[in-house]
């Protein structure tokens, strides 16, 4: 994780608050935060395990597990709530959501940018319909769904991309180098993210 992450990741920080507001009135004890980063979201919970593929993030957390969102190292129904803020677009989103559902006893809450974000960029953001189809086929209850968009200046976006992460899996389909990012960024005139958040009962 880049040392300037917390300085420039305002969007993730605000979005962590947005996601926490969605779950704060539910009843749960054990929580798993998937792709926890430096813990913008984990810090809201007393009994939370933070999971991330980047082992250097251990120092930010009370309870930390190194692992991949696509292969969560937990038994079925291990947590009351599984939650993820601004990480699943860097993962295989379908596999990761299935895994979050598998290890949850009751609630799953996710928030990440979707297709339509940063138009003109070749990054493969998840498609809203693919995600919603997946939720239907699992026969689970969607308790809440929100979509909002957020605008950036190009400079803000460059700082954001350089400090706030890219896919870490060795075989990640979405991998793109820093120099490619810079080339592409100058071509995006009005950068914005479209952010999908949802709360499921499983
Ligand atoms: C943009 S950061 C968001 C971090 C945090 N959730 C937040 O709100 O600040 C994305 C995080 O996802 C992690 N990540 C990327 N691919 C992953 C994967 N396949 N499995 C688990 N974590 C992953 C990165 O290491 C990074 O910490």
């Amino acid at each position: 994780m880049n040392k300037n992450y917390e300085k420039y990741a305002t969007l993730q920080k605000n979005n962590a608050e947005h996601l926490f507001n969605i779950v704060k009135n539910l009843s749960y004890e054990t929580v798993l935060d998937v792709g926890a980063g430096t813990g913008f979201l984990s810090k809201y919970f007393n009994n939370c395990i933070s999971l991330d593929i980047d082992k250097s993030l251990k120092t930010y957390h009370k309870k930390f597990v190194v692992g991949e969102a696509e292969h969560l190292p937990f038994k079925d129904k291990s947590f009351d709530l599984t939650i993820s803020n601004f990480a699943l677009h860097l993962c295989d989103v379908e596999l990761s959501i299935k895994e979050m559902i598998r290890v949850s006893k009751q609630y799953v809450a996710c928030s990440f940018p979707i297709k339509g974000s940063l138009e003109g960029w070749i990054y493969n953001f998840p498609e809203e319909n693919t995600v919603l189809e997946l939720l239907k086929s699992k026969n689970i209850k969607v308790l809440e769904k929100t979509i909002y968009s957020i605008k950036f200046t190009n400079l803000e976006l460059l700082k954001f991309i350089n400090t706030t992460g890219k896919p870490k899996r060795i075989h990640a389909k979405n991998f793109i180098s820093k120099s490619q990012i810079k080339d592409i960024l100058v071509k995006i005139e009005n950068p914005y993210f479209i952010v999908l958040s949802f709360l499921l009962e499983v």
Side-chain angles (χ1 to χ4, degrees):
M1 179 68 76
N2 185 295
K3 62 179 169 26
N4 286 320
Y5 176 79
E6 293 203 323
K7 188 168 159 197
Y8 292 118
T10 323
L11 171 56
Q12 285 94 330
K13 193 175 185 180
N14 293 342
N15 206 66
E17 189 181 354
H18 166 74
L19 194 50
F20 176 67
N21 282 330
I22 291 176
V23 302
K24 71 179 179 193
N25 294 322
L26 303 172
S27 166
Y28 49 79
E29 285 182 12
T30 51
V31 180
L32 174 70
D33 182 8
V34 176
T38 60
F40 281 147
L41 183 62
S42 307
K43 70 163 193 207
Y44 284 106
F45 306 102
N46 294 327
N47 192 356
C48 177
I49 293 188
S50 307
L51 175 137
D52 203 286
I53 201 167
D54 182 347
K55 63 177 188 245
S56 72
L57 297 168
K58 187 176 191 308
T59 50
Y60 290 92
H61 299 275
K62 284 190 204 139
K63 294 182 199 164
F64 183 79
V65 171
V66 182
E68 288 194 350
E70 297 84 350
H71 310 282
L72 294 174
F74 305 104
K75 291 185 184 152
D76 296 1
K77 300 188 188 298
S78 295
F79 302 91
D80 298 324
L81 167 69
T82 58
I83 197 160
S84 181
N85 183 50
F86 251 82
L88 297 190
H89 61 298
L90 303 172
C91 307
D92 180 318
V93 73
E94 292 186 44
L95 269 182
S96 306
I97 292 172
K98 282 183 188 163
E99 279 292 89
M100 289 178 69
I101 292 171
R102 181 183 67 75
V103 304
S104 173
K105 274 185 216 153
Q106 196 167 9
Y107 299 113
V108 177
C110 302
S111 190
F112 50 86
I114 56 173
K115 200 174 178 78
S117 301
L118 305 184
E119 244 169 71
W121 200 24
I122 57 169
Y123 191 82
N124 233 345
F125 285 100
E127 297 214 25
E128 180 191 351
N129 283 345
T130 312
V131 175
L132 297 182
E133 275 305 308
L134 173 76
L135 304 184
K136 268 190 215 157
S137 67
K138 278 278 161 192
N139 199 22
I140 46 188
K141 213 166 162 185
V142 181
L143 298 180
E144 187 160 342
K145 188 191 92 172
T146 62
I147 295 189
Y148 74 94
S149 63
I150 181 151
K151 287 187 179 155
F152 289 91
T153 65
N154 277 53
L155 181 61
E156 282 166 343
L157 182 63
L158 185 60
K159 285 178 181 166
F160 178 93
I161 303 277
N162 273 337
T163 55
T164 68
K166 55 181 186 284
K168 295 284 192 324
R169 285 171 302 131
I170 295 166
H171 301 296
K173 281 178 265 171
N174 280 330
F175 181 78
I176 181 166
S177 71
K178 272 194 175 176
S179 64
Q180 280 175 299
I181 289 170
K182 283 181 187 155
D183 286 350
I184 293 156
L185 280 180
V186 292
K187 295 181 193 149
I188 303 177
E189 279 178 16
N190 297 304
Y192 60 91
F193 274 120
I194 301 174
V195 181
L196 168 67
S197 309
F198 55 82
L199 169 65
L200 312 176
E201 191 167 34
V202 297

